[in-house]
Amino acid sequence: MAIDFLDVISFAQVHEKEKEAVEKLGITKYPTIVFLPGGDAEGVVYDGELKKAGLSEFFSKYKTPKSDPWESEESSSSTSSSSSTTSAAPKATEKRKSRPQNYRNKH
């Protein structure tokens, strides 16, 4: 979900030991998903299945997901007529491609 709504919705995890946040949000069971629309509006608790389709539909009621979350604002607003296109690789992909210096294949 965090990728689908990148730069649209911020996601955070609250643990049971974070008593102040748990009380403020009214969390009584885990996992609980609460959408905080902002301002003085109260949080909205998601009560559906914890599956991507249902979660996406829930969050889409409040915010529109990005059609391509990896597309940067710069490249989406570009009107260049050049035939070659370059785009920045997502940070998550960069991390997956790079290996620690002490990494070795065991087989």
Side-chain angles (χ1 to χ4, degrees):
M1 296 288 54
I3 292 172
D4 293 343
F5 290 89
L6 187 67
D7 296 328
V8 177
I9 296 176
S10 296
F11 290 84
Q13 183 175 7
V14 175
H15 297 274
E16 188 174 8
K17 66 183 179 181
E18 299 171 87
K19 300 290 185 197
E20 186 177 339
V22 168
E23 288 176 23
K24 193 173 195 173
L25 296 171
I27 297 171
T28 58
K29 64 179 183 165
Y30 294 87
T32 295
I33 296 174
V34 180
F35 177 76
L36 303 173
D40 293 334
E42 288 193 27
V44 181
V45 177
Y46 173 72
D47 63 359
E49 280 190 277
L50 295 177
K51 301 217 179 218
K52 184 175 180 174
L55 289 165
S56 183
E57 182 179 328
F58 172 72
F59 291 121
S60 293
K61 291 178 187 176
Y62 306 99
K63 300 286 184 173
T64 303
K66 287 193 162 187
S67 58
D68 182 359
W70 299 119
E71 186 175 299
S72 70
E73 299 239 348
E74 183 179 307
S75 65
S76 65
S77 63
S78 175
T79 57
S80 174
S81 61
S82 173
S83 61
S84 65
T85 306
T86 58
S87 62
K91 291 178 183 175
T93 303
E94 290 172 1
K95 288 180 183 177
R96 281 187 220 136
K97 288 183 179 179
S98 63
R99 293 181 177 164
Q101 290 179 350
N102 63 354
Y103 178 83
R104 292 185 183 175
N105 288 333
K106 293 184 178 183
H107 301 290

